[in-house]
Amino acid sequence: MRQVKTLGLLGTGVIGGGWAARALHFGIDVVAADVKPEMETWIRGAVANAEGALSRLTFAPLPPKGRLSFTTDLTAMARQVDFIQENIPEQLELKQRTLALVSRHAPRDVLIASSTSGLMPTDLQRDMESPERFLVAHPFNPVYLLPLVELVGGERTAPETLEAASRFFSYIGMHPLKVRREVPGHLTDRLQEALWREILHLVNDGVASTGELDDSIIYGPGLRWAAMGTNLIYHLAGGETGMRHMLRQFGPCLKWPWTRLEAPELTEQLIDRMVEGTQQQAAGRSIRELERLRDDYLVAIQQVLRQFNLGAGATLRALEERLFESAAAGARPALEAAASGVAPQATLRLIETEVRAEWVDYNGHMTDSRYLQVCGDATDALLRYAGVDDAYRRSGRAFYTVESHVMHQAEARALEPLYVLSRVLDVDDKRLRVFNALHRRRDDAQVATAEQLYLHVSSAAGKAAPMDAGVRARLAALQAAQAQLPPPPEAGRLGGRVVR
Ligand SMILES: NC(=O)c1ccc[n+]([C@@H]2O[C@H](COP(=O)([O-])OP(=O)(O)OC[C@H]3O[C@@H](n4cnc5c(N)ncnc54)[C@H](O)[C@@H]3O)[C@@H](O)[C@H]2O)c1
């Protein structure tokens, strides 16, 4: 498969809009195609709406955003993109016809995926040209925040197609879950439907309202599900002997049975109960308001899970690791030139960022804590170059900040593009003194400086410890090259703390 620089979307409704927002955010261009011209305004609005929550998901350095274009000419889209994701209505014949059409116009090495919630890939690829490059890639709403994508191959799908698609989806921050063989509804929708069917029965039988049933999940099992699935949770429910005991104790209930296999008839009365129940739960809040609330807590949950390296948090952590690595790789030539003294000053520009809307205080200017965050990102990039990566940190060694001196010199407004110039002022066995200068891109004015002292720590020993010799040598080479520059007038103001 070719490298995916441009994603083509077939159908730009709820799911197409979600794919667009995710891909653009991670630097992929998008050509969106829909039969209805009015969907252009819709998808642009959907992308703008998603951006608020998406921009808070990670502070890792992102590539420049992708560009969005729109067309009603499906075949023109198919000829100019590297990967096609189909998101048109869930009707087998319509999907078969449309997929066959675009497959005749897309070059053979362009993968084609369907977002179908439950149709079988073998049926969908039936009339396609080069059906071996087709797969189901089933996402979850909102696609721009939920990492799960189920990958399912049909009878004629090549194994390499699933591998290549999996790499692309990981690249845009997703968790590809390969489904071993095609079944209607894939995996997740079968589980979701089982729960939903019971909800419909309980509402139909007048046992509970929609709100009570939602409460039965959100105050209990829902909290567990974000990081451990039903099986692992039931393993815990069995006490010391785990799943075996759990099955012995609760297995007989399966025969009673508590649940039903067929959904109830969707009568007018049942539809009214479901609609009225959810309207009461919405309590006057619009769909947009509820979406914003959902997006905000989805971001917050993933950030918490990142600390535990669990589930969606592990996906986020892996994504950030890659983003930091590629930023470090981008900065490496400049760092090497600086270390060898070829271009010591102007090139040590490791971080390009902008003042995000949520970083500003009531004055409309960047708030204090964000200066330290941006300078911390610059130091991280410097340390990555020196060899301090995730593996180094996992070995129980890290640099801790012990002192910072920040000087504020000019204003940085919301959305203002910024860059950081970094210098190594001092390095010895255990200590590193860094000077970061934050500049506005529009006029190069120096906005702030931060002089910071870092201590190299072994967490196993619980105290300062010598850094790796290679790391020290690289930092020392930088320091020597930059020592030819005049010392920054703002530096030298740390308290002179003694570290042993
Ligand atoms: N909504 C969800 O929660 C969800 C979740 C996962 C997967 N899916 C799947 O994603 C697909 C799309 O669902 P949706 O909710 O975005 O639907 P939607 O109705 O919001 O959007 C469908 C879009 O397809 C366009 N369209 C119709 N025929 C077309 C054609 N021939 N060519 C190009 N565009 C065409 C429509 O104009 C519309 O904009 C379905 O297969 C659905 O099962 C939906």
Side-chain angles (χ1 to χ4, degrees):
M1 182 185 95
R2 38 167 99 185
Q3 195 197 346
V4 182
K5 292 195 178 129
T6 307
L7 172 69
L9 296 174
L10 197 53
T12 64
V14 174
I15 294 303
W19 278 116
R22 177 179 280 280
L24 293 166
H25 190 71
F26 292 108
I28 307 284
D29 291 337
V30 171
V31 180
D34 200 290
V35 282
K36 293 188 194 149
E38 64 270 25
M39 291 312 284
E40 174 163 13
T41 314
W42 194 92
I43 196 170
R44 289 190 189 281
V47 167
N49 268 325
E51 195 46 36
L54 249 180
S55 67
R56 287 192 298 278
L57 186 62
T58 174
F59 292 133
L62 292 165
K65 281 203 174 49
R67 280 160 313 184
L68 173 66
S69 56
F70 181 89
T71 177
T72 49
D73 183 343
L74 310 187
T75 59
M77 176 278 287
R79 283 192 293 271
Q80 55 178 301
V81 299
D82 305 310
F83 189 112
I84 296 174
Q85 183 75 35
E86 168 273 307
N87 326 279
I88 63 174
E90 189 79 342
Q91 297 157 23
L92 179 60
E93 260 185 37
L94 175 69
K95 283 196 194 274
Q96 279 173 327
R97 201 170 354 108
T98 316
L99 286 166
L101 171 74
V102 294
S103 72
R104 289 198 291 277
H105 294 269
R108 293 172 73 93
D109 60 346
V110 168
L111 298 196
I112 303 179
S114 170
S115 294
T116 177
S117 299
L119 299 174
M120 308 272 269
T122 297
D123 297 333
L124 291 170
Q125 71 193 158
R126 194 188 66 190
D127 304 327
M128 285 178 69
E129 208 167 283
S130 303
E132 70 285 347
R133 38 82 177 259
F134 174 78
L135 76 157
V136 163
H138 176 226
F140 293 80
N141 191 30
V143 182
Y144 52 90
L145 288 181
L146 295 187
L148 182 60
V149 56
E150 293 179 305
L151 304 189
V152 201
E155 280 166 15
R156 292 152 80 193
T157 303
E160 308 83 69
T161 297
L162 293 166
E163 290 308 319
S166 179
R167 282 196 298 278
F168 168 59
F169 292 122
S170 298
Y171 182 83
I172 55 171
M174 302 187 86
H175 177 82
L177 177 62
K178 285 188 200 141
V179 180
R180 289 163 191 247
R181 73 187 156 86
E182 56 184 331
V183 285
H186 325 310
L187 302 183
T188 313
D189 278 354
R190 291 182 75 127
L191 300 181
Q192 294 201 117
E193 197 185 275
L195 194 62
W196 190 41
R197 201 171 47 225
E198 289 310 316
I199 287 174
L200 292 171
H201 273 299
L202 290 165
V203 171
N204 197 39
D205 298 347
V207 175
S209 68
T210 59
E212 287 158 356
L213 290 164
D214 282 353
D215 285 352
S216 79
I217 296 297
I218 62 179
Y219 290 99
L223 286 174
R224 304 190 297 213
W225 280 337
M228 291 188 189
T230 300
N231 296 307
L232 191 55
I233 284 293
Y234 281 4
H235 178 56
L236 302 187
E240 282 303 305
T241 43
M243 179 57 89
R244 194 167 290 284
H245 177 71
M246 152 77 197
L247 286 173
R248 223 176 278 133
Q249 189 178 2
F250 295 106
C253 315
L254 295 172
K255 298 274 182 210
W256 288 350
W258 281 346
T259 54
R260 308 210 202 156
L261 277 177
E262 290 225 349
E265 200 59 43
L266 275 182
T267 59
E268 284 307 314
Q269 188 193 36
L270 176 54
I271 292 171
D272 284 348
R273 284 184 189 174
M274 294 298 296
V275 171
E276 282 158 22
T278 43
Q279 263 167 3
Q280 260 180 25
Q281 288 178 265
R285 292 168 294 179
S286 68
I287 297 285
R288 271 275 177 270
E289 276 176 89
L290 289 168
E291 276 175 353
R292 263 198 296 275
L293 181 62
R294 176 202 62 191
D295 287 5
D296 285 347
Y297 77 68
L298 286 175
V299 167
I301 287 174
Q302 290 178 71
Q303 288 172 343
V304 169
L305 290 176
R306 175 178 46 190
Q307 294 167 28
F308 297 92
N309 206 18
L310 275 176
T315 308
L316 181 56
R317 203 191 257 203
L319 168 74
E320 292 186 333
E321 193 50 32
R322 198 207 73 225
L323 290 169
F324 279 120
E325 273 308 326
S326 62
R332 204 153 278 143
L335 279 155
E336 260 147 27
S340 62
V342 176
Q345 186 176 28
T347 49
L348 248 189
R349 181 167 160 161
L350 303 180
I351 291 286
E352 303 278 340
T353 187
E354 66 174 29
V355 182
R356 301 190 191 186
E358 66 276 13
W359 291 4
V360 299
D361 57 19
Y362 49 86
N363 291 323
H365 300 136
M366 186 153 94
T367 202
D368 293 5
S369 59
R370 300 298 182 183
Y371 287 87
L372 280 175
Q373 178 195 308
V374 173
C375 290
D377 288 348
T379 303
D380 264 359
L382 193 77
L383 289 173
R384 270 168 194 279
Y385 156 74
V388 182
D389 54 11
D390 205 36
Y392 190 92
R393 285 190 297 271
R394 275 202 306 269
S395 74
R397 296 168 297 170
F399 283 83
Y400 287 11
T401 315
V402 287
E403 197 173 341
S404 300
H405 185 270
V406 181
M407 287 180 73
H408 297 268
Q409 294 158 316
E411 293 159 357
R413 296 187 304 238
L415 306 182
E416 176 100 59
L418 301 172
Y419 62 90
V420 184
L421 298 180
S422 304
R423 283 182 69 171
V424 175
L425 295 182
D426 261 321
V427 60
D428 63 23
D429 260 8
K430 299 176 189 167
R431 285 176 304 184
L432 169 68
R433 193 156 61 95
V434 173
F435 183 81
N436 286 311
L438 198 63
H439 289 257
R440 290 196 297 234
R441 210 182 299 157
R442 75 180 137 105
D443 57 1
D444 292 318
Q446 188 165 288
V447 173
T449 61
E451 182 184 7
Q452 291 181 286
L453 182 65
Y454 296 91
L455 186 60
H456 187 268
V457 172
S458 152
S459 46
K463 58 179 189 179
M467 63 187 82
D468 171 87
V471 168
R472 184 179 166 179
R474 263 168 253 140
L475 291 169
L478 270 178
Q479 184 210 345
Q482 294 183 320
Q484 302 156 21
L485 300 167
E490 300 86 354
R493 293 170 199 240
L494 293 179
R497 182 170 172 155
V498 179
V499 179
R500 292 186 205 288

